[in-house]
Amino acid sequence: MTASSALTFDSLIQIPLDVIIGAQTEIFIFVIAILAHTLLFGRRHGAKSTKMASKKVDMMQSPSSEGPVQRPLTTLIRLLEAKLREGATQVAIFDLISSRCGVLPQLRESLSDLLEGLGKSANAELLAALRDVMRKHSVRPTPRLAVTLLQGYSRLRLQREFDEFLGEVQQDVGETVRLPPCIARVALKQALRSSDIRGALKHVGALAAAEESGHASPSAAPRQLLQQLVRLAVEKNELHSLLQELTPVLSGWTLEVLLLECARMEDAAAATSVEVLAREQGVALTPAALSALVKIRGCPHAAAQLLADAAGAAPVAKEILVTVADIALAQRDTELARAVWAQLSSTTSPQVAAAMVRLASSGLLSDSNVEDTILELFEKYFTGISLQSEAKTERIIADAALSRGRSDLIRVLLGAETARQVTLLKSYGVDRRLDDAVTIFQLCADKTASHYNALLDVCGECQDSKAAEDVLAQAVAAGIADVVTYNTLIKVHLQSGKFQRARAGLDSMRAAGVMPTVVTFNELLDATVRRDADAVWQLLKEMEAFGLQPNSFTCSILMKGMTANSNRTYVERVFKVLEATGSEMDEVSLCSMIEACVRVGRLDLLRRQLEQLRRCRSKGQLKSAHAYGSIIRGCGIIQDLDGVWEAWREMRSRKFAMTSVTLGCMVEAVASNGHPEMGYEIIHEVLREEGEGRSLVNSVIYGSVLKGFSQQKKFEQVWTVYQEMLQQKVQFSIVTCNTLVDACARCNQMGRVEAILQEMSLQGVSPNIITYSAIIKGYCQESRMDKAFQLLEDMKRNTKLRPDEHTYNTLLNGCARQCLHERGVRLLGEMEEAGVAPTNYTLSVLAKLGSRGMRLQKAFDICEEISRKYRFRLNVHVYTNLLQACISHKDTGRALELLQRMVSEKVSPDARTYTLLLRGLVAAHRGQDAAAVLRAAFGLPGVGTFFTGDRKCATLYGGLPSELVVEVLEGLGNSSGVDVATLLGELRGVQGLRLPATLSMRVARR
């Protein structure tokens, strides 16, 4: 042997040795399992399985253990993954793959391995680049490569690219030749997804022929695809065309699927068509097909005949037994039920057992006790089969055995499978039957930690902390209590509202040497945040003492504690914890964060978090349309339309499957930010592009556009959208109808309301109190107060609805607009008599009513009386309306006193308060007071003793608009005794306030 030969031989030996040495134990076991499967079940799919196993080994091994053939492919996959994360273009991906083609053996197979290795990270750009590579190197796709590419196009919903490539594959094999079954299956699935009945019919023949010949996949996928096709064919009135396509390859299998699906749809006419075809073609029906026919007809005579015909075969097919039993039960036919019993054997199936137990429970099988009959059936026929797949049947038998004290049968029923025993145990927790659960637990032979944990779950459902502690003590004594056992005990105590015992459970855990986990603390935190949000920080300290770091779920729990009443410190600390986790925010945390920020009104924090996420996230970080929907909603709330569109375009480019929620978030984001026409165009875009677009667009999504146009008072567009909804046959909700009525009210189009009410009646939508309030609002805005009050009386007389606070406030506002003071006061009395308590909003309207009715003192008296009677403090809106009333009545002194009272009661004035007061003081030539108020608004010194309370309450966050300040200063230039120049100098030092450079000269001239 030459040195060269020896070297080659040594190399050949060394390569597999390196692979074996570097492989992990799990991989070695996996390969052995594949070899054993091949020896036992033959080589029908051996080549494919071996290839998959080899691929798994290659992908899971470390780089050092790869062979020289796989190393270039693995390297390329890693490089491509990095490129995809960076958002690389099609050209860049093409250049990378092309540069590596020379070192890839068997290019067609390598490209298949490449696509399968990348999995779901493969995007549209990569698939396009791969097709360019195939064209450049004249690569004709193998069935495997074709399937992988088609699946990629389907996953990314690239319908045009899917059709083009499928056409090329069909042209490659010949237009009159059936596609390989694996390709036909993918093509059929895609056609079904887009409801393309013609495309589906084109490929079903190849699938059926392959299934009949035994060359198809052994999975249930072909059967499921044919079932979907039958449903689509019936829906599109194309069943006859489907039967024509299947006639050349008609078999017992296809007939069975067709008839079973007809039975599921309860379509007797379709089933008859299939039966006629079977007779014409001379194809025998399988037992399942015969059963389906009888099931559709539901006739006891036909069922009895079917059972009699099948009695010659031993045993009778399970499908026939189940069908006849179900018909006997439905028709309450005792004779038929007992005929089924007579055909039972000890080798029956779980489905038959379930059907017979249902019959026994109904009392049709015997005149004796039902429980005895159930146990007789079980003891004679079902002890040798597993009923794990029929949990309800197992439970019925267990209940009967418990009732009759048959512990021996319970032991047989439980068997030796832990999962089966645990499932039965937990089922008693749902019904809160702790004693029966304990009996079942005691009859389990070899108890594991799972058994004890399941019994603890039952204790939790029954809220029995004492029993739970006993179970824990038994688990500890048995030496099998684990961290899940202690966590479950803690959860039981928390469910029972015994927080201190839950904390004691944590101490017991430590004493037993069992280390708590993040799950342990999350359970405690979840309970704590609902009791006392500020107490969570001590728990977090303990958590850190165990070396445990908060995770995204911890942050979601903390954010759950953020409410409108949360103090600023708590909110800030929660977000510090969120930022300290350092991990990528998952979808649950993202949604929780957005909702929490909105709930506490901290849009500044929401803006900060979204901007940080925008800077730091990679293009591939978000994994679903739902996550993008959350970001779109958040950006919409903070009025960041750039962020909205960026997230939308990125999601669309990654071809995520659209959902109604995501689409709704996008339409709402643009419509609520002043662009309802864009939201409308997005709806049309989805309807045009998405195969299932009609199912995605609903009344809620259209409602966002309606609301946007309504707020802009563009009623023509509102009515256009409404007419389109009618044409699209969109199911209206009460919210949609109320939006439409509100649009009529806003735009003075009350004549259109009647048509909307008629459509509501046609769609079965009943008006609610919001509907009536919107109509009343429209009448009030049109100054038709008589119609508004008449509608109120009609509603009270003819419906069960009663006016609420919003209804009364709408009418009060109408009275204020029309200066109907006395009628408004009477309405207030009616409101109180009806048990509807006035609120601050009511008082703000009453302040306007008093002002416009020339009853200033009456307005003050009513506000004082109502707030004292119903025990609430006046808010800034009530004070501001009272202040406006004072200004309107030229009583600026009282207006100043009102401002002083607000500050003393720690009610911070807003921009509207200061605007009204400053303009009133300047008009009244009270320059000194105006200057003091202006200084107070900006927190400047020089206010003197103007305010007796905390001056910080008088400072306006963000200050006043520059235009208003200029207006006041110019007005003060005409007042005597005011040093405007000094005041102007002070204001120029206010951060963020921009005043014209020429203002000094303009003021000096006055």
Side-chain angles (χ1 to χ4, degrees), residues 622-734:
L622 301 179
K623 304 299 183 186
S624 71
H626 181 71
Y628 279 104
S630 297
I631 289 180
I632 288 169
R633 180 171 182 268
C635 290
I637 290 170
I638 61 173
Q639 301 179 341
D640 178 13
L641 280 177
D642 289 339
V644 167
W645 283 109
E646 180 183 323
W648 174 256
R649 292 186 184 113
E650 182 180 315
M651 183 196 75
R652 297 287 276 172
S653 70
R654 296 183 66 194
K655 306 295 182 181
F656 279 117
M658 184 76 70
T659 67
S660 291
V661 174
T662 307
L663 178 60
C665 289
M666 183 61 193
V667 173
E668 172 67 20
V670 294
S672 63
N673 281 288
H675 299 284
E677 70 286 346
M678 290 183 179
Y680 196 28
E681 177 54 35
I682 289 169
I683 291 175
H684 286 168
E685 176 189 333
V686 172
L687 289 174
R688 286 192 302 267
E689 296 181 5
E690 297 287 341
E692 61 272 16
R694 290 182 185 276
S695 64
L696 293 177
V697 180
N698 53 36
S699 62
V700 176
I701 295 170
Y702 271 115
S704 297
V705 176
L706 289 170
K707 193 186 300 181
F709 283 134
S710 173
Q711 289 171 347
Q712 294 179 352
K713 297 192 175 181
K714 294 180 178 179
F715 191 77
E716 287 186 11
Q717 287 87 334
V718 169
W719 205 251
T720 299
V721 176
Y722 169 58
Q723 294 300 321
E724 180 179 311
M725 292 174 72
L726 294 177
Q727 291 171 3
Q728 296 282 356
K729 297 182 180 179
V730 175
Q731 179 61 49
F732 284 28
S733 67
I734 186 61

Side-chain angles (χ1 to χ4, degrees), residues 222-350:
R223 177 180 290 267
Q224 292 169 355
L225 289 174
L226 187 52
Q227 288 171 343
Q228 293 176 41
L229 181 53
V230 174
R231 289 197 290 270
L232 181 61
V234 171
E235 179 187 328
K236 302 285 187 181
N237 295 318
E238 292 284 357
L239 183 63
H240 180 69
S241 300
L242 173 60
L243 295 180
Q244 282 184 324
E245 289 290 335
L246 290 175
T247 297
V249 291
L250 202 63
S251 65
W253 172 79
T254 51
L255 287 170
E256 180 181 309
V257 174
L258 288 167
L259 285 170
L260 285 171
E261 192 57 29
C262 290
R264 192 195 67 79
M265 295 187 296
E266 298 181 352
D267 193 328
T272 301
S273 299
V274 176
E275 183 184 15
V276 169
L277 178 63
R279 287 175 182 166
E280 289 175 350
Q281 298 297 315
V283 180
L285 295 178
T286 63
L290 289 168
S291 299
L293 273 174
V294 172
K295 182 178 181 181
I296 292 174
R297 289 163 185 160
C299 172
H301 176 72
Q305 186 61 51
L306 174 64
L307 186 62
D309 292 343
V316 177
K318 65 178 182 181
E319 295 89 352
I320 294 176
L321 289 172
V322 171
T323 298
V324 177
D326 287 344
I327 292 174
L329 181 62
Q331 300 295 327
R332 304 294 300 173
D333 192 322
T334 303
E335 184 178 348
L336 187 59
R338 293 178 183 178
V340 179
W341 191 354
Q343 296 300 328
L344 284 182
S345 69
S346 58
T347 57
T348 190
S349 69

